[in-house]
Amino acid sequence: EKESTLNPSEIKPLLSLASVYFLEEEYAKMNDTCNRAIAIDDNDITALYLNAKALVGLKDTIMAIAMLTKAISIKDDYIDAYLLRAKTLYSMEQITNAKEDLEHLLSIESDNEFYIAIGTQDGKNKLLLQDESEIVADQYTSDEIIRMFIDQIKEYHSKVD
């Protein structure tokens, strides 16, 4: 098999292979490959992030959160890690924690493709997305607005992934 020809000390080919496994939805193989990369460099944020994606695919959300938290602790402005962690926390019904991640994203990246503003305009709460669509949300709580935002993230990732 192709992966057996890889030099175990090279992370980049392992990460490329993990990405291929992700596209093929081979999450167990992806997880193993990411673990090999992490064994080489346990502070490689891409390996941690890809491993989290594999763990989400394997429905091991607790370990996925741990990997994402470690990646974020290494790179505080790692947008993809915050987005995946928020999405994963939401799937675990940890709305408050998901909201904290999304609010942190706003503070570090106002031009993010998922730009969001939660606020009051003309007496109505609004969820504003960068594509200029908006959800007038005067009948929604902030947690419900966050859920709608995370649904937007899920929709985007389903198109990209």
Side-chain angles (χ1 to χ4, degrees), residues 120-131:
T120 303
Q121 183 177 352
D122 302 326
K124 295 183 180 179
N125 292 319
K126 290 190 177 183
L127 170 71
L128 303 173
L129 303 175
Q130 184 187 25
D131 66 4

Side-chain angles (χ1 to χ4, degrees), residues 77-126:
D77 63 349
Y78 195 178
I79 292 169
D80 290 335
Y82 274 105
L83 285 171
L84 183 57
R85 190 169 75 174
K87 181 179 169 183
T88 305
L89 287 165
Y90 174 75
S91 74
M92 299 167 63
E93 299 183 9
Q94 300 292 319
I95 304 301
T96 302
N97 293 333
K99 182 179 176 182
E100 288 172 7
D101 277 358
L102 295 174
E103 288 172 348
H104 183 75
L105 273 174
L106 289 175
S107 74
I108 60 174
E109 182 61 71
S110 63
D111 292 329
N112 185 18
E113 61 208 46
F114 297 117
Y115 177 74
I116 179 178
I118 299 174
T120 303
Q121 183 177 352
D122 302 326
K124 295 183 180 179
N125 292 319
K126 290 190 177 183

Side-chain angles (χ1 to χ4, degrees), residues 16-35:
S16 295
L17 182 59
S19 296
V20 170
Y21 285 142
F22 178 76
L23 294 174
E24 295 174 349
E25 297 182 14
E26 294 283 350
Y27 302 120
K29 288 181 181 180
M30 182 183 180
N31 184 46
D32 291 340
T33 303
C34 289
N35 284 332

Side-chain angles (χ1 to χ4, degrees), residues 99 118-120 123-127 134-149 151:
K99 182 179 176 182
I118 299 174
T120 303
K124 295 183 180 179
N125 292 319
K126 290 190 177 183
L127 170 71
E134 66 180 51
I135 299 169
V136 177
D138 56 333
Q139 73 270 25
Y140 299 111
T141 66
S142 60
D143 287 348
E144 289 168 326
I145 292 171
I146 293 296
R147 280 191 208 102
M148 286 185 265
F149 177 59
D151 288 341

